[in-house]
Amino acid sequence: DAGWRRQEAGGRKQEAGSRRQEAGGRRQEDPSKNFSAILYPVSGIPYLCTPMEKVAEAVVKIDDLDPKEFIIIKGAKVNNLKNLSVAIPRNKMVVITGLSGSGKSSLAFDTLYAEGQRMYVESLSSYARQFLGRMEKPEVEYIRGLSPAIAIEQKVNTRNPRSTVGTTTEIYDYLKLFFARVGVTYSPVSGKPVTRDTITNVVDYILSQEEATRIFIGSPLRINGDRTVEDEYKILLSKGYTRVLIDGKPEFIDDIIESGEYPEQTEIFIDRVKVSDDEDLQFRLTDSVQTAFFESHGDCLVHLEGKKKSFSDRFEEDGMIFEEPSVNFFSFNNPYGACKKCEGFGKILGIDPDLVIPDHNLSVYEGAVAPWRSENMKRWLEPLLRNPDIDFPVHRAYKDLGKKEKEILWKGQKNFKGIDAFFNFIESKLHKIQYRVMLSRYRGRTTCPDCRGSRLRKDADYVKVEGRSITDIVLMPIEISLDFFTNLRLEENAGRIAERILTEIRTRLTYLKEVGLGYLTLNRVTSTLSGGEYQRIKLATSLGSALVGSIYVLDEPSIGLHPRDTLRLVNVIQNLKKQGNTVIVVEHEEEVMKAADQIIDIGPGAGFHGGELVFQGGFDDMNGVEESHTVRFLKNIDRIEVPSKRRKAIDHLVIKGARENNLHNIDVKIPLGVMTVVTGVSGSGKSTLVQKILYPALGRRMGIISDVPGKFSELSGDVDKISMVEFVDQNPIGKSSRSNPVTYVKAYDPIRQLFANQPLAKQRGYKPAFFSFNVEGGRCEECQGEGVVKIEMQFMADIHLVCENCKGARFKREVMDIEVNGKNIADVLDMTIDEAMEFFQDERPVISKLKPLQDVGMGYIKLGQSSNSLSGGEAQRVKLASFIGRSKSSAKDNVLYVFDEPTTGLHFHDISKLLDSLNRLVEQGNSVLIIEHNVEVIKSADWIIDLGPDGGDRGGKLCYEGTPEGMVDLADTNHTARFLKEKL
């Protein structure tokens, strides 16, 4: 039956069958043996279709392969894998590809990595294993040749506001060590280096004088506590001292006490010596200098021939005492090193300049300062307008004011007090409610002025190496800090101390730059990174750790990367391989596949139609394997066609003066009623423009979100033409583990109603709520409808195990007695979308809700699959399906849909489905705005907005606005245009 299933499906599958027969004998699947994989490494040549005896021969040989050369997986049945057997060569770069839902992640993560994790747990102590012992073995016959496995996924695992790029990559730990060991403290007053004198310094100074020079060693007399001067002199006598130095001359203490006249400046007479070559002199001087430092708590005075030189063993300069650099001194996670004002967070609740002066195009005379527009508060501005002695251009726009003029406005001058003084006045009146309300309007999260956002105590900025402090290093882009450390030349002593530290810093910064993250700063908070950026940071950290003999499993590392940076990423992955590791990459990117030593294509379809090994071999071995969707797109047999015509917009939104993060005060026009793509290299400012400025600005105007938008001057154009704005990101579709696609698209309500309408359900009085796993009634109370039980670990991640009561079904046994066409509610939730479409074909309420999920390429996911298990791209497409499924309420509705890289996790075949869905939204009269790097999507857009030309400080400029055809003319100068030209 299994052998002829494809033929029964008819049509296209029958053609595929004939192609297989031409390639060399139809593959027959023997139900008794369940072989579904042909092994590339066994025969030495890749082949898809082989007579039965060859299949048997291959499977026999898999047991004979050397686990030192191959990772051997036999009989994997996890999720939709169909008894898949494959041998992955060790110490190679292997790409696993296939349609979304074909079983790539099931093979790489749920089988290979999960078994590696389980084997690690078995190596732990019996105490740890008592919690972990029930960790289930993946459904696989065996895996041999498995090394320690490390998974680098896209999920940002930390929400800790103290976690930064520097701490995550461990570069900051080396920076702390570097500045603590070789950093020099400079006085902010004179700029002189701060040093402390040692006993050796003083002794060397004395011995460097000419022979026979007479030396007096003194120590300033300190009056302690409530003692009188006479008491101090008597105590000196009791200690054995007989004389003091007054104006550099010895005087007997007894004579001074007898006279009763005590001079103001007195020194304890410690010793008198004559410089000579005597070996004992050095020991005597050492003892005397140490005594001088002790008696005066850190000061020693040396008199010679009418001159006096002071020495101090305190760390001070210009009358200021400084802290000596140490590792904790540079740690913002330690109370000793954290900034006192912001407590190590880098942000404080202060006066936000952009709320005080919201429109930078206005002059002070026109009312640029918002709190001074009222009749009552205008009096604060009048001294500036009426005083000609203050050199301030009151009619010039705020954005055109110089640094000095802005300082006058904020700090004040003469009888004009300034904005800062105004808010100090407001804070002094907080006992009145109107002043509290006014202050709250202009408060926001602002960068801490003391630490400049670096989170470190203020005096950490005084410690420098070659003119740069640790604050400067963490606030500059990684590529600039790399240049600094590459060109750094230390003196011989410091160079020896810092040699090893510098090697680690340079290596890790280099890897970060190579994975395309040179535009980030080390101070960037980890929780603000995208999934792709976080994954590449972990990749760079792994490279810096220089592990050998491990298996790295990467989950689409090219996500968020412009095609220009993909080649750099490939080099980084190759370096990981060259260190002696096996790198397994789940990927759809063509450039990554071309660079792989082997490609493993799982398919041929998704879900139930996937889970088989379609192809294994090199990129050049793909000829003749036409059943594979991957091969068909790579060989240009299938392709996404360029649209025959571009839609033209009538209405537009205009963002003026966008200057958040690295945006250079740009004006951008966004057309409505068409599909617009915002593109540019990583770090060029795309997310800043769309996510931080446009979406919050529109959302606040419509009253749907309260987030404060980034810095910009004005949002104008046809704003009233938009009825709603929806931001479709890759965040999970539900925070609860019970959330799943079928509930999100509202398809579960008609399904529950259908079960409640069954005769047995009516007889027992079961309402639709009985078939819900979210409320008490029909759900299993042991696991509260989750199907799994969570075991909390003290020091490790929580473990989820299948509920022993319901065996993962989520419902009570009596509820599962109710069936529709032979299937109970648990069976239905275990169906894929495609299977459910066939099962509920006569139930229009259910079909209408599920159809959009199938249209966006999600037919392979199960109805009851937890939203936690969906990737970011899958979650985004479920949201897209919910929007498509909504009926349009009015012809005037024009919703602006904003998508953040919707091609994440999508195969070429699925991108064509995605584009169809996006075009459907536009055809319904909506507008679609997409942040995207994928050239297939860019070429299909009606309008392109390209930012750049590079990332970080070298980005943030508007490089192009227009149609894809018009952009091709910039191919010689523009990164995006160069790749787009190939597709057009």
Side-chain angles (χ1 to χ4, degrees):
D1 292 340
W4 296 99
R5 194 180 294 120
R6 291 187 185 82
Q7 191 172 354
E8 289 170 11
R12 188 173 169 188
K13 292 186 180 67
Q14 197 167 12
E15 292 173 21
S18 63
R19 278 199 298 272
R20 275 213 297 285
Q21 198 167 11
E22 291 167 20
R26 172 185 286 278
R27 182 175 66 188
Q28 299 176 20
E29 295 181 358
D30 183 349
S32 65
K33 292 186 177 174
N34 266 332
F35 298 136
S36 64
I38 312 304
L39 300 176
Y40 164 67
V42 176
S43 63
I45 57 165
Y47 51 85
L48 171 71
C49 316
T50 313
M52 191 59 215
E53 62 273 11
K54 287 276 188 183
V55 177
E57 175 193 337
V59 176
V60 169
K61 285 194 174 183
I62 195 169
D63 297 317
D64 301 330
L65 289 174
D66 187 355
K68 292 179 182 177
E69 294 182 20
F70 299 100
I71 301 161
I72 305 161
I73 303 170
K74 184 176 179 183
K77 298 176 185 173
V78 176
N79 296 336
N80 66 331
L81 295 180
K82 295 176 180 171
N83 202 35
L84 188 143
S85 301
V86 65
I88 300 171
R90 293 175 62 83
N91 301 333
K92 300 288 184 187
M93 176 182 166
V94 178
V95 167
I96 300 178
T97 188
L99 299 189
S100 304
S102 60
K104 305 183 299 298
S105 296
S106 297
L107 177 62
F109 289 95
D110 301 337
T111 303
L112 196 64
Y113 173 65
E115 178 66 1
Q117 199 177 32
R118 191 188 67 82
M119 290 170 71
Y120 161 71
V121 167
E122 286 186 354
S123 71
L124 297 176
S125 67
S126 56
Y127 174 76
R129 283 208 311 276
Q130 69 177 323
F131 302 106
L132 300 164
R134 291 172 63 198
M135 205 170 184
E136 291 187 6
K137 187 179 189 299
E139 200 174 348
V140 59
E141 193 172 323
Y142 67 72
I143 301 180
R144 290 180 185 159
L146 196 58
S147 306
I150 299 161
I152 304 179
E153 299 180 270
Q154 297 163 22
K155 293 174 184 173
V156 182
N157 294 325
T158 178
R159 292 287 161 200
N160 185 350
R162 292 184 183 275
S163 174
T164 66
V165 170
T167 57
T168 304
T169 56
E170 298 168 4
I171 293 172
Y172 194 73
D173 295 323
Y174 290 105
L175 280 179
K176 289 190 294 186
L177 201 57
F178 176 72
F179 277 89
R181 295 289 178 268
V182 301
V184 178
T185 306
Y186 291 89
S187 166
V189 179
S190 63
K192 293 178 183 175
V194 181
T195 56
R196 71 159 72 240
D197 295 314
T198 62
I199 296 170
T200 307
N201 295 146
V202 184
V203 172
D204 289 346
Y205 171 76
I206 295 171
L207 293 177
S208 67
Q209 306 302 315
E210 291 182 9
E211 199 164 326
T213 303
R214 293 181 66 190
I215 303 285
F216 288 153
I217 299 174
S219 177
L221 178 64
R222 310 282 186 202
I223 309 299
N224 293 323
D226 298 329
R227 297 176 193 163
T228 63
V229 180
E230 185 178 354
D231 292 340
E232 286 292 350
Y233 273 74
K234 288 178 179 177
I235 289 170
L236 285 176
L237 281 173
S238 67
K239 287 180 178 179
Y241 296 105
T242 56
R243 285 174 289 186
V244 291
L245 288 171
I246 298 172
D247 295 329
K249 295 178 182 177
E251 299 282 349
F252 284 99
I253 296 174
D254 285 336
D255 294 344
I256 295 172
I257 293 174
E258 193 175 322
S259 68
E261 294 181 4
Y262 300 100
E264 289 184 9
Q265 299 293 332
T266 306
E267 298 170 26
I268 306 168
F269 183 44
I270 303 291
D271 202 357
R272 175 174 56 190
V273 296
K274 193 179 281 187
V275 178
S276 68
D277 292 335
D278 188 357
E279 290 183 6
D280 293 335
L281 179 63
Q282 186 168 351
F283 295 108
R284 176 178 172 177
L285 285 172
T286 300
D287 187 52
S288 299
V289 172
Q290 186 174 7
T291 304
F293 279 140
F294 173 77
E295 289 292 351
S296 62
H297 303 293
D299 289 307
C300 175
L301 302 170
V302 176
H303 298 263
L304 65 155
E305 297 177 353
K307 293 188 297 182
K308 181 169 78 172
K309 186 167 177 66
S310 302
F311 294 91
S312 170
D313 73 348
R314 294 187 299 275
F315 200 61
E316 63 182 14
E317 184 69 41
D318 298 328
M320 295 171 63
I321 296 177
F322 297 84
E323 292 284 344
E324 279 204 77
S326 65
V327 172
N328 284 340
F329 184 71
F330 298 106
S331 174
F332 51 78
N333 288 327
N334 187 308
Y336 181 67
C339 170
K340 301 295 179 284
K341 193 174 186 74
C342 65
E343 298 181 343
F345 286 98
K347 297 275 185 184
I348 58 167
L349 188 63
I351 303 302
D352 189 341
D354 282 296
L355 295 175
V356 177
I357 304 175
D359 190 349
H360 288 212
N361 293 314
L362 296 178
S363 66
V364 170
Y365 185 81
E366 293 169 325
V369 184
W372 291 350
R373 291 172 187 168
S374 69
E375 288 299 321
N376 187 29
M377 295 301 170
K378 198 178 283 184
R379 58 193 169 89
W380 285 84
L381 180 60
E382 285 178 358
L384 184 64
L385 301 177
R386 297 178 184 277
N387 193 340
D389 296 335
I390 301 175
D391 184 20
F392 186 88
V394 294
H395 295 288
R396 188 185 298 169
Y398 181 80
K399 67 179 181 182
D400 299 325
L401 294 178
K403 185 178 179 182
K404 183 182 176 184
E405 291 153 348
K406 287 180 180 177
E407 192 170 321
I408 291 172
L409 184 60
W410 284 87
K411 305 291 183 189
Q413 194 179 85
K414 296 182 180 177
N415 64 333
F416 170 63
K417 294 181 179 177
I419 297 172
D420 287 344
F422 167 75
F423 281 106
N424 288 336
F425 165 76
I426 296 295
E427 286 177 0
S428 70
K429 300 285 184 182
L430 290 183
H431 57 281
K432 296 183 179 179
I433 189 166
Q434 64 265 36
Y435 289 107
R436 291 203 297 274
V437 171
M438 173 175 269
L439 189 65
S440 67
R441 287 181 193 156
Y442 302 106
R443 270 194 162 167
R445 301 290 292 174
T446 58
T447 301
C448 175
D450 278 12
C451 65
R452 296 187 285 159
S454 70
R455 307 148 177 264
L456 285 173
R457 53 189 293 168
K458 199 173 182 179
D459 48 351
D461 211 19
Y462 303 154
V463 184
K464 298 183 178 179
V465 175
E466 293 293 311
R468 298 280 191 182
S469 67
I470 193 168
T471 305
D472 297 330
I473 299 296
V474 299
L475 293 179
M476 64 174 64
I478 284 167
E479 53 191 354
I480 296 176
S481 57
L482 175 60
D483 290 340
F484 170 74
F485 282 108
T486 303
N487 300 321
L488 184 63
R489 297 291 177 268
L490 298 172
E491 60 180 44
E492 190 179 349
N493 246 357
R496 277 201 306 272
I497 294 169
E499 183 180 5
R500 181 64 191 152
I501 304 171
L502 277 174
T503 302
E504 291 290 342
I505 292 173
R506 286 168 181 157
T507 302
R508 289 163 191 265
L509 286 174
T510 301
Y511 286 136
L512 280 174
K513 184 180 178 183
E514 285 182 1
V515 295
L517 296 174
Y519 59 89
L520 294 178
T521 63
L522 293 174
N523 198 50
R524 175 82 173 262
V525 181
T526 310
S527 58
T528 65
L529 299 171
S530 69
E533 285 173 332
Y534 183 77
Q535 188 186 21
R536 294 201 299 281
I537 277 178
K538 298 300 287 180
L539 182 60
T541 306
S542 298
L543 278 163
S545 303
L547 286 178
V548 174
S550 302
I551 297 171
Y552 283 93
V553 187
L554 309 185
D555 187 11
E556 297 195 57
S558 69
I559 286 170
L561 270 189
H562 191 274
R564 183 202 70 165
D565 301 316
T566 305
L567 294 174
R568 285 152 69 175
L569 173 72
V570 168
N571 290 334
V572 170
I573 296 174
Q574 296 281 17
N575 284 337
L576 205 55
K577 180 187 80 173
K578 287 172 187 172
Q579 286 181 0
N581 299 296
T582 306
V583 186
I584 297 169
V585 190
V586 177
E587 187 56 270
H588 296 116
E589 178 60 45
E590 185 175 344
E591 294 298 330
V592 181
M593 289 189 214
K594 287 179 179 176
D597 298 306
Q598 270 200 11
I599 297 170
I600 296 174
D601 189 27
I602 308 295
F608 176 77
H609 302 294
E612 298 180 38
L613 181 66
V614 179
F615 169 80
Q616 182 176 6
F619 184 82
D620 298 329
D621 302 323
M622 286 186 160
N623 295 324
V625 191
E626 293 183 5
E627 187 186 73
S628 163
H629 288 294
T630 305
V631 175
R632 293 180 68 80
F633 273 92
L634 290 177
K635 297 299 180 184
N636 217 21
I637 299 168
D638 291 343
R639 57 180 169 272
I640 296 170
E641 298 295 341
V642 179
S644 56
K645 62 177 184 176
R646 308 286 181 189
R647 289 173 287 239
K648 291 186 179 178
I650 301 171
D651 306 319
H652 295 84
L653 296 177
V654 181
I655 300 170
K656 292 184 178 176
R659 55 189 180 276
E660 179 73 8
N661 292 344
N662 65 334
L663 293 178
H664 290 273
N665 202 30
I666 59 174
D667 298 339
V668 181
K669 185 169 72 171
I670 298 165
L672 299 178
V674 297
M675 186 160 75
T676 305
V677 170
V678 181
T679 185
V681 298
S682 304
S684 59
K686 305 181 299 297
S687 297
T688 301
L689 177 68
V690 177
Q691 289 179 235
K692 288 197 174 179
I693 295 179
L694 176 65
Y695 175 63
L698 281 171
R700 277 170 76 93
R701 184 173 287 201
M702 294 173 182
I704 55 173
I705 59 171
S706 58
D707 293 354
V708 178
K711 300 170 190 170
F712 75 107
S713 300
E714 184 186 0
L715 175 64
S716 60
D718 303 296
V719 182
D720 297 335
K721 298 286 178 71
I722 298 175
S723 58
M724 178 60 72
V725 58
E726 295 278 5
F727 183 61
V728 191
D729 58 13
Q730 295 175 15
N731 290 336
I733 57 174
K735 293 178 181 176
S736 165
S737 57
R738 292 192 185 90
S739 170
N740 54 40
V742 73
T743 56
Y744 192 82
V745 298
K746 303 288 189 292
Y748 199 37
D749 297 337
I751 291 174
R752 286 189 289 124
Q753 186 64 54
L754 182 63
F755 273 90
N757 289 340
Q758 299 305 304
L760 183 57
K762 287 180 178 179
Q763 185 181 335
R764 293 182 178 180
Y766 290 168
K767 302 295 182 190
F770 251 76
F771 300 94
S772 169
F773 44 76
N774 285 323
V775 293
E776 290 183 18
R779 73 179 184 185
C780 168
E781 290 304 324
E782 183 77 22
C783 61
Q784 296 190 321
E786 294 212 26
V788 292
V789 178
K790 183 171 79 172
I791 296 179
E792 292 186 3
M793 305 296 296
Q794 291 293 327
F795 307 106
M796 300 181 74
D798 295 340
I799 297 227
H800 295 83
L801 300 169
V802 175
C803 173
E804 291 186 348
N805 187 43
C806 65
K807 307 298 182 193
R810 302 182 177 196
F811 295 94
K812 294 176 180 174
R813 290 194 183 105
E814 54 267 31
V815 172
M816 289 191 285
D817 291 341
I818 314 299
E819 293 184 347
V820 173
N821 296 337
K823 300 280 187 184
N824 61 36
I825 188 70
D827 296 332
V828 167
L829 288 175
D830 201 44
M831 290 180 181
T832 64
I833 302 290
D834 288 336
E835 290 169 333
M837 288 289 288
E838 194 174 330
F839 183 77
F840 291 112
Q841 57 186 342
D842 298 326
E843 303 294 333
R844 287 203 56 77
V846 180
I847 291 291
S848 62
K849 298 290 186 184
L850 293 180
K851 184 75 167 67
L853 278 172
Q854 192 179 44
D855 290 344
V856 297
M858 299 290 285
Y860 60 89
I861 61 171
K862 292 185 177 180
L863 296 186
Q865 187 171 333
S866 172
S867 61
N868 293 344
S869 66
L870 298 177
S871 68
E874 287 172 331
Q876 195 176 32
R877 294 200 300 284
V878 171
K879 294 175 190 176
L880 172 60
S882 74
F883 294 134
I884 293 173
R886 293 178 188 173
S887 57
K888 204 163 169 57
S889 57
S890 167
K892 294 181 179 178
D893 278 353
N894 181 352
V895 181
L896 174 62
Y897 292 103
V898 181
F899 290 88
D900 183 16
E901 296 195 48
T903 60
T904 298
L906 283 190
H907 188 271
F908 307 107
H909 182 70
D910 300 309
I911 292 174
S912 61
K913 290 184 180 179
L914 173 74
L915 286 169
D916 290 340
S917 299
L918 293 174
N919 281 314
R920 275 179 63 188
L921 286 177
V922 177
E923 285 155 12
Q924 288 175 2
N926 301 304
S927 306
V928 172
L929 180 65
I930 310 168
I931 302 170
E932 190 55 84
H933 293 118
N934 188 283
V935 187
E936 300 289 350
V937 175
I938 297 171
K939 78 175 187 186
S940 304
D942 300 306
W943 192 260
I944 294 176
I945 298 169
D946 188 64
L947 301 182
D950 231 300
D953 292 340
R954 296 199 295 273
K957 296 176 183 174
L958 183 63
C959 297
Y960 177 76
E961 280 183 305
T963 62
E965 283 74 19
M967 192 177 194
V968 173
D969 298 334
L970 305 175
D972 295 333
T973 56
N974 185 287
H975 296 301
T976 308
R978 189 168 74 251
F979 291 96
L980 182 62
K981 185 177 181 180
E982 296 174 15
K983 293 291 181 181
L984 291 180

